[in-house]
Amino acid sequence: QKEVEQNSGPLSVPEGAIASLNCTYSDRGSQSFFWYRQYSGKSPELIMSIYSNGDKEDGRFTAQLNKASQYVSLLIRDSQPSDSATYLCAVPISGGGADGLTFGKGTHLIIQP
Amino acid sequence: GAGVSQSPSNKVTEKGKDVELRCDPISGHTALYWYRQSLGQGLEFLIYFQGNSAPDKSGLPSDRFSAERTGGSVSTLTIQRTQQEDSAVYLCASSLAVTGMNEQFFGPGTRLTVL
């Protein structure tokens, strides 16, 4: 059973600062990694996917993957109050093409104005 | 439509009744997934479809749960003889299912309450 671990938080970050969210996973064979944002009462929204070691940037978001350490992180630059949400890390249940995802419990991020 | 749609958005039922939840995926997405999220719990995978077949049913919590997909599009999740522990938000997602890339996009969910 694949496991995905995240610090539940809450993680409190002042507006304009960098928020750093971390995730570790148990299966060394995992090849794809996803970050979702979930506002209270809403469904998860995909914000980043990463497949290779290193950094991937998209606007204010940067995903960082280190397969040797089984660690994936999400950085949010210039944090805004609208970034306050729960951030979920996910990996595929199997290594194949289509399959369900195993999610971490999520980190609750609070951006303080 | 542009995104995944689900109906109903809310469903209240009595214990022991059967319910059907519907999901309409993004046009062109061949893979469809069902998850559920209980209050305070994480997202739990239930089942996925590649076309009309379901290669992985491992997440279905009991034989009261079943799902089907016809025409490679709409899917229904059926829960028979509902129990109070079935109360949760049931989420559907879809993806292009390209090998090595499996970005899944979620619908708004169906909130099921079993009294």
Side-chain angles (χ1 to χ4, degrees):
Chain A
Q1 180 75 15
K2 293 190 179 184
E3 292 183 355
V4 177
E5 299 289 338
Q6 297 181 255
N7 188 322
S8 63
L11 174 64
S12 187
V13 173
E15 184 175 356
I18 296 175
S20 178
L21 305 161
N22 303 316
C23 170
T24 59
Y25 57 95
S26 63
D27 185 352
R28 187 171 290 278
S30 295
Q31 298 293 319
S32 328
F33 306 87
F34 305 93
W35 282 100
Y36 286 83
R37 176 176 64 197
Q38 187 172 27
Y39 293 113
S40 180
K42 300 294 186 182
S43 61
E45 173 191 7
L46 179 67
I47 53 172
M48 288 289 284
S49 58
I50 186 165
Y51 305 96
S52 304
N53 269 334
D55 295 0
K56 178 182 177 183
E57 186 174 319
D58 184 0
R60 295 187 297 111
F61 298 97
T62 299
Q64 298 176 319
L65 175 59
N66 184 326
K67 290 185 178 180
S69 300
Q70 295 175 237
Y71 177 97
V72 57
S73 64
L74 179 70
L75 302 178
I76 307 174
R77 290 182 301 280
D78 188 23
S79 297
Q80 303 296 309
S82 59
D83 295 326
S84 298
T86 296
Y87 288 80
L88 303 168
C89 175
V91 300
I93 291 172
S94 75
D99 200 352
L101 299 175
T102 294
F103 284 82
K105 292 290 177 64
T107 298
H108 183 203
L109 175 66
I110 298 172
I111 305 301
Q112 295 178 320
Chain B
V4 177
S5 60
Q6 293 185 246
S7 61
S9 55
N10 279 284
K11 177 71 176 179
V12 179
T13 190
E14 294 179 347
K15 178 181 173 181
K17 300 284 190 182
D18 298 352
V19 295
E20 275 193 1
L21 312 179
R22 175 188 167 108
C23 172
D24 199 342
I26 293 171
S27 178
H29 279 193
T30 57
L32 184 148
Y33 312 81
W34 285 98
Y35 297 84
R36 74 175 176 182
Q37 188 171 34
S38 304
L39 190 62
Q41 299 298 309
L43 271 157
E44 175 188 6
F45 168 73
L46 299 178
I47 187 172
Y48 96 94
F49 290 89
Q50 178 67 280
N52 292 333
S53 65
D56 188 354
K57 302 180 183 179
S58 62
L60 293 177
S62 77
D63 59 8
R64 296 185 295 105
F65 287 71
S66 63
E68 65 175 14
R69 189 181 186 195
T70 55
S73 182
V74 171
S75 174
T76 55
L77 176 69
T78 301
I79 309 173
Q80 295 179 310
R81 305 181 301 282
T82 52
Q83 303 295 310
Q84 289 183 331
E85 61 262 29
D86 299 333
S87 296
V89 176
Y90 288 81
L91 293 158
C92 176
S94 69
S95 76
L96 284 172
V98 174
T99 298
M101 301 173 64
N102 186 22
E103 298 179 340
Q104 299 182 19
F105 299 89
F106 283 85
T110 293
R111 181 174 298 277
L112 175 65
T113 303
V114 182
L115 301 177

